[in-house]
Amino acid sequence: RRVCAAAPQSQAAAYTESHVQPVYQPYLTTCQGHRLCSTYRTIYRVAYRQAYRQLPQPAASCCPGWSRANSHALSCNRALCWVPCQNGGSCTFPGRCACLPGWTGRACQTDVDECAGQSHGCGQLCINTAGSYRCACRDGFSLAADDKACQPLVPAPEPETFSQAGPPSEMKEEMKDLKSRVEALEQKLQLVLAPFHNLMPSVPEDVGADPISRLSHSLQQLDRIDSLSEQISFLEERLETCKCLEKA
């Protein structure tokens, strides 16, 4: 398979062959005068020897992009990829790789974005990873046992609403207690400011109507009254001094 050219070649092969081998064997015989003579006679036997002969050996040349799996194979079944296959891919056709799931490209160098389509099956979020993907959930949810669906961590709390009758009775009591405290403080403030109102019943227009402004204005008037009292006392002392000098 995938052999593009074949040229016959010869290769020397060893084998064993048989041949007739002469053997010279000595023996005794009777010569003239009835004497014993020594001579030789030739006998033949089968012998074996190793010989060599040239045998035709087919040699195949692989087509471009293919090679032999080993040097003794006659067919060319191994594909060649000039760019090595990456990420676990294998070369199955010249210049083309068979990729594992999650990878693509001629050399399996490109990651497949599984989250781009709708086949991932994630319930909420899909996160692409190198050669694969994983599912995730939004805040308040967690992955289910199938690692795809999302389930809530805790049930959502129901919103609290007041009844049509209004706030609870405890809140009404607290509001009533606060209101009574404010009224008591206003009454005490009126008692404190009463003497100052008697001293100065009319309040200038530039003074605010709130109790704090009226109190500040009243305190300023008291300071002025004290200052006038001191001046009057000083004048009385001078008058007494003058009277004493005239008598003398």
Side-chain angles (χ1 to χ4, degrees), residues 47-101:
Y48 298 91
R49 61 188 176 186
Q50 188 175 23
Y52 295 91
R53 60 184 174 185
Q54 298 294 327
L55 297 177
Q57 179 72 24
S61 177
C62 296
C63 297
W66 297 92
S67 66
R68 294 184 179 89
N70 55 72
S71 59
H72 300 289
L74 297 179
S75 60
C76 303
N77 293 328
R78 185 174 66 181
L80 298 177
C81 290
W82 297 273
V83 178
C85 300
Q86 305 176 26
N87 302 306
S90 58
C91 186
T92 57
F93 195 79
R96 188 179 303 170
C97 299
C99 304
L100 295 177

Side-chain angles (χ1 to χ4, degrees), residues 31 46 61 74 89 128 155 157 167 173-174 234:
C31 298
V46 178
S61 177
L74 297 179
N128 185 49
E173 294 294 332
E174 186 175 357
F234 178 72

